[in-house]
Amino acid sequence: MALKPETLLCPRPEGLYCAPGDFFIDPVRPVDRAVITHGHADHARAGHGLVLATQATLDIMRVRYGDDFAGQVQALAYGEIVNRSGVEVSLVPAGHVLGSAQVVVRWKGMTIVVSGDYKRRRDPTCLPFQPVPCDVFVSEATFALPVFRHPPDTEEIAKLTKSVEQFPERTHLVGAYALGKAQRIIRLLRESGYDKTIYVHGALERLNALYENHGVDLGPIEPATSDKGDDLAGEIVIAPPSAIADRWSRRFADPVGAFASGWMRVRARARQQGVELPLVISDHADWDELTGTIAELAPGELWITHGREEALARWAELNGIAARPLSLVGYEDEDA
């Protein structure tokens, strides 16, 4: 009798569970053994007994949660294999943020790949997604609707630098999530030729330092601490999205409110949030990247963990791939 994938990996309230190896992948509540795909808070939570992840992800969790975020930790390099009760586990790059990984689980000739969050386009702050042939591909579906087709990030960065040139009397205040998006925006600005000092909210400083320690050169950066609004006229300030609507933002010179997110493709959402300069820059795969990845891998089955599950499942079925929405709860898309 053929081995059923559910024997190797199955959804439970805590998250995806590997019964033969007795561990969870990205559990949403504390468990004895957890494999973590990346450092965003909806996937990487504190309180587990043992955490296995890339060194960069462990470092991110330490910055966010403190030294005692888990009972024990085990760093696994990309491509390195560990064996847990006959189950082989390895991590390969996911292209999402620094240290992000897909989890490759092999047992009795079956391979299941759990993508975590991923994207396929180049990101100067992390290694690119590595396709792994598999029997079951477990994919996210944050932007799994045909309307979501992200433009080249170089074009969006050009919009930002052009606006800075057009409005030198104003501060450009860019909302970007503290882990991954902020550092990617900074690197993309550097690659575009923007070599001026970039000012950042204090919430970004420790993660920026961590990226620098992992070899990502962010160039000249200073804290945006001036109490005099016109001090930063003509400059770019990067801050968490929550700070853009806060009193903190009022110190700057007639700020241009920008927001870097895949959700900025939805104009109504940008208007509702009062975003003057929407930048469609996402750390998640868009519709074409999702469907292209699935077509490339051609897995026997597609499991969909979170996001727009129904549309992606329908696409898969129309293309001859059995699909199963897992309807896992506890994962957000706020880092999009």
Side-chain angles (χ1 to χ4, degrees):
M1 183 179 294
L3 182 68
K4 292 184 178 181
E6 294 84 355
T7 309
L8 177 55
L9 209 62
C10 64
R12 288 193 10 184
E14 300 93 329
L16 279 174
Y17 178 61
C18 177
D22 190 22
F23 61 84
F24 289 86
I25 299 174
D26 289 351
V28 298
R29 61 186 68 169
V31 298
D32 289 339
R33 283 172 290 277
V35 180
I36 303 299
T37 61
H38 66 282
H40 281 134
D42 57 333
H43 291 256
R45 290 168 165 83
H48 304 307
L50 170 68
V51 167
L52 184 147
T54 63
Q55 185 62 60
T57 293
L58 294 175
D59 292 344
I60 289 165
M61 294 180 73
R62 190 168 288 110
V63 164
R64 294 193 131 185
Y65 301 127
D67 291 337
D68 58 350
F69 67 87
Q72 293 178 276
V73 299
Q74 181 178 355
L76 197 64
Y78 290 127
E80 183 182 356
I81 297 173
V82 296
N83 191 300
R84 168 81 185 166
S85 301
V87 178
E88 291 187 350
V89 179
S90 60
L91 304 176
V92 298
H96 179 54
V97 297
L98 178 70
S100 62
Q102 304 169 79
V103 181
V104 183
V105 183
R106 290 190 171 97
W107 184 59
K108 295 186 176 181
M110 173 171 287
T111 300
I112 298 181
V113 175
V114 180
S115 73
D117 291 337
Y118 72 100
K119 65 177 178 291
R120 297 302 303 268
R121 60 192 65 201
R122 174 184 174 273
D123 182 337
T125 69
C126 65
L127 293 176
F129 178 97
Q130 178 181 321
V132 177
C134 53
D135 300 291
V136 178
F137 183 57
V138 185
S139 177
E140 64 139 312
T142 302
F143 290 112
L145 289 173
V147 67
F148 290 112
R149 290 183 163 94
H150 306 323
D153 50 24
T154 52
E155 292 181 4
E156 300 303 287
I157 291 295
K159 290 180 185 177
L160 174 58
T161 54
K162 181 179 180 181
S163 184
V164 172
E165 293 174 1
Q166 289 178 324
F167 302 104
E169 74 284 1
R170 304 179 68 185
T171 303
H172 279 69
L173 191 54
V174 182
Y177 295 104
L179 171 57
K181 186 69 64 64
Q183 296 78 24
R184 182 179 171 204
I185 296 293
I186 293 170
R187 273 305 311 160
L188 289 171
L189 281 166
R190 299 309 185 198
E191 290 185 350
S192 77
Y194 189 89
D195 56 6
K196 294 177 62 180
T197 296
I198 294 173
Y199 296 86
V200 299
H201 187 280
L204 306 184
E205 292 180 16
R206 293 182 69 195
L207 286 169
N208 285 347
L210 185 150
Y211 267 68
E212 292 266 12
N213 289 338
H214 279 267
V216 180
D217 181 10
L218 300 179
I221 293 175
E222 291 185 16
T225 55
S226 173
D227 292 325
K228 189 177 180 183
D230 58 3
D231 279 357
L232 297 181
E235 307 294 349
I236 294 175
V237 176
I238 300 180
S242 59
I244 304 298
D246 189 73
R247 258 186 318 187
W248 178 86
S249 66
R250 299 176 193 169
R251 69 185 68 187
F252 303 112
D254 189 16
V256 175
F259 185 19
S261 170
W263 297 116
M264 291 298 96
R265 171 61 77 187
V266 182
R267 293 182 180 180
R269 190 159 180 167
R271 286 195 299 269
Q272 289 168 1
Q273 296 178 354
V275 178
E276 183 175 349
L277 182 63
L279 303 173
V280 186
I281 301 176
S282 175
D283 285 331
H284 293 261
D286 67 4
W287 175 255
D288 290 333
E289 292 174 84
L290 289 165
T291 56
T293 298
I294 296 162
E296 177 184 2
L297 296 175
E301 290 187 34
L302 172 70
W303 294 358
I304 307 167
T305 53
H306 59 283
R308 278 68 199 159
E309 299 176 339
E310 295 79 8
L312 193 58
R314 179 62 176 157
W315 178 91
E317 289 166 357
L318 289 173
N319 285 272
I321 299 172
R324 174 186 173 186
L326 298 183
S327 302
L328 296 178
V329 298
Y331 299 99
E332 307 296 336
D333 50 31
E334 290 306 307
D335 60 323

